[in-house]
């Protein structure tokens, strides 16, 4: 008896939450260079697909899913989103990093490495704060109060996280050594 399986394949980073991405990264460490395990892990985490069904897929379907996943994952051309929405509230990225509150600076730098890991949502909650005043594309954000709440940022799409991360990567690459 045949069983029909519906597979939803994401085609952009906005469909993948930080929480899902971090779970994927933890599992991918197990597979190392094993391509079959790597693709099975991608399908499980990103498509919410039970890996026991992978070998039942025809080669065309498997190849298309693999191509779609690998294709969007290689897209690193994501821009900083200065204003985002979380639960109906507008949050703005720190508008002037040269004048960031000293407490915010200290809280960000207490993390050993600047990378997307289990601390990233906390860093995002420092960099993005509720907008208190807005005029066109200009805005002010809530003063930093050391209230670090990364939970709400763990459900945001990776397009937002990668945009912020690559903003800093590009900034650092442009600085003289």
């Amino acid at each position: 008896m045949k069983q029909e399986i519906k597979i939803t394949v994401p085609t952009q980073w906005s469909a993948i939450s930080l929480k899902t991405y971090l779970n994927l990264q933890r599992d991918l460490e197990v597979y190392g260079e094993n391509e079959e395990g790597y693709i099975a892990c991608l399908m499980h985490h990103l498509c919410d697909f039970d890996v026991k069904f992978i070998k039942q897929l025809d080669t065309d379907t498997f190849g298309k899913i693999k191509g779609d996943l690998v294709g969007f994952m290689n897209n690193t051309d994501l821009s900083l989103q200065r204003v985002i929405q979380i639960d109906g509230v507008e949050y703005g990225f720190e508008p002037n990093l040269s004048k960031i509150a000293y407490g915010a600076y200290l809280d960000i730098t207490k993390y050993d490495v600047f990378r997307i890991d289990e601390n990233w949502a906390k860093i995002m909650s420092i960099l993005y704060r509720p907008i208190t005043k807005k005029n066109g594309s200009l805005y002010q954000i809530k003063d930093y109060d050391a209230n670090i709440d990364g939970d709400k940022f763990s459900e945001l799409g990776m397009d937002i996280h990668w945009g912020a991360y690559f903003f800093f990567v590009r900034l650092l690459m442009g600085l003289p050594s």
Side-chain angles (χ1 to χ4, degrees):
M1 175 162 86
K2 283 193 171 189
Q3 180 180 5
E4 187 172 312
I5 300 170
K6 182 178 180 182
I7 306 171
T8 304
V9 181
T11 56
Q12 50 192 340
W13 281 113
S14 61
I16 308 300
S17 70
L18 174 63
K19 184 176 171 181
T20 298
Y21 176 78
L22 292 176
N23 288 333
L24 169 66
Q25 291 305 310
R26 275 190 286 280
D27 284 356
L28 284 177
E29 288 177 12
V30 173
Y31 292 103
E33 299 296 318
N34 180 327
E35 184 180 354
E36 186 177 321
Y38 177 83
I39 299 302
C41 196
L42 289 180
M43 290 176 72
H44 172 68
H45 284 283
L46 303 182
C47 304
D48 197 23
F49 186 71
D50 192 334
V51 293
K52 68 183 179 185
F53 295 116
I54 288 179
K55 292 191 180 204
Q56 296 174 17
L57 294 173
D58 62 76
T59 55
D60 288 342
T61 302
F62 179 82
K64 175 138 179 46
I65 293 170
K66 177 182 172 183
D68 287 348
L69 291 176
V70 171
F72 92 83
M73 290 183 72
N74 288 330
N75 178 14
T76 58
D77 189 24
L78 297 163
S79 301
L80 174 67
Q81 295 181 38
R82 293 181 39 162
V83 176
I84 60 173
Q85 289 243 347
I86 303 175
D87 297 329
V89 176
E90 275 191 316
Y91 285 73
F93 188 81
E94 179 68 50
N96 189 344
L97 288 171
S98 67
K99 294 188 179 189
I100 191 170
Y102 185 63
Y105 170 77
L106 286 176
D107 285 343
I108 290 171
T109 58
K110 75 180 176 188
Y111 302 108
D112 295 337
V113 180
F114 193 77
R115 67 175 176 224
I116 295 184
D117 61 10
E118 65 279 345
N119 294 317
W120 183 255
K122 296 172 190 167
I123 292 171
M124 291 288 280
S125 78
I126 297 168
L127 293 170
Y128 281 96
R129 297 194 300 279
I131 292 177
T132 57
K133 192 185 225 181
K134 193 170 181 183
N135 185 5
S137 63
L138 301 175
Y139 58 85
Q140 290 179 343
I141 57 175
K142 180 181 173 187
D143 288 339
Y144 184 69
D145 61 8
N147 182 16
I148 301 172
D149 179 15
D151 291 341
K152 64 181 122 203
F153 288 89
S154 67
E155 294 302 325
L156 291 178
M158 284 303 296
D159 59 325
I160 295 169
H161 294 287
W162 284 125
Y165 178 77
F166 287 123
F167 167 79
F168 285 107
V169 169
R170 290 179 191 112
L171 181 68
L172 290 172
M173 288 173 53
L175 294 175
S177 47

